[in-house]
Amino acid sequence: MRIGVFAGSFDPFTIGHKAILDRSLGLFDKVIVAFGINRAKKEFMPLEERMARVRRAYSDDARVGVVSYEGLTIDLMSSVGAHYIIRGVRNPMDFEYERNMADVNRKLSGVETVLLVSDIEFSHVSSSLVRELASFGKDVSNMII
């Protein structure tokens, strides 16, 4: 079974994240959405709410799992039997960062990283943009699930 882990803080889980997850379901038998916990960061949306939103959106698809974790993604990988990390890239800066992380993760654990280029209609959407717009009272409901 090909299991991929789509990992991030997903604070919040955007329509861009959903598009990457949907596309990854065509590549893997199972995709685990892994919500990384960073206690040093102030949350925009509580972890349980973020996880519940994804569970609701994919409640009819047994191929999608949702977990939270602390620590390194590669340590989570072995506990869920996954060999692939799924990442989305929106621009060249994302690519450079993700390529470096992919190299490190492969050297440390042998896991492969699959980079999916974002759909052009979502390339401007990021969690940090959503958080900033919301902090100014803007409606961001059409950018998150």
Side-chain angles (χ1 to χ4, degrees):
M1 179 178 270
R2 289 181 324 257
I3 301 172
V5 169
F6 186 28
S9 61
F10 304 121
D11 190 18
F13 197 89
T14 69
I15 56 175
H17 294 132
K18 184 180 184 315
I20 294 294
L21 176 54
D22 290 346
R23 288 172 47 208
S24 69
L25 288 169
L27 302 173
F28 298 96
D29 302 309
K30 182 170 185 145
V31 176
I32 298 167
V33 181
F35 287 81
I37 299 169
N38 183 344
R39 300 206 188 275
K41 281 187 171 179
K42 183 181 182 303
E43 291 181 323
F44 168 73
M45 185 181 290
L47 174 65
E48 288 305 320
E49 182 179 347
R50 287 180 268 154
M51 293 174 65
R53 285 172 175 253
V54 173
R55 284 187 183 115
R56 273 193 306 273
Y58 291 91
S59 63
D60 293 336
D61 196 335
R63 299 174 300 161
V64 177
V66 178
V67 300
S68 65
Y69 72 103
E70 290 187 73
L72 298 175
T73 303
I74 56 172
D75 292 336
L76 169 73
M77 303 288 291
S78 61
S79 71
V80 297
H83 298 286
Y84 305 95
I85 297 174
I86 302 161
R87 301 293 292 174
V89 293
R90 295 171 308 210
N91 55 48
M93 290 182 309
D94 282 355
F95 176 79
E96 287 299 321
Y97 174 80
E98 295 299 343
R99 187 192 66 185
N100 290 336
M101 289 302 298
D103 289 343
V104 169
N105 288 335
R106 189 173 48 257
K107 285 186 190 322
L108 289 175
S109 67
V111 301
E112 289 293 340
T113 300
V114 176
L115 300 178
L116 297 177
V117 177
S118 70
D119 296 321
I120 195 153
E121 66 264 31
F122 304 125
S123 63
H124 68 286
V125 178
S126 69
S127 293
S128 56
L129 172 71
V130 169
R131 289 190 304 267
E132 183 172 356
L133 290 171
S135 75
F136 286 101
K138 299 299 180 187
D139 179 16
V140 295
S141 60
N142 64 338
M143 290 188 228
I144 62 176
I145 68 162

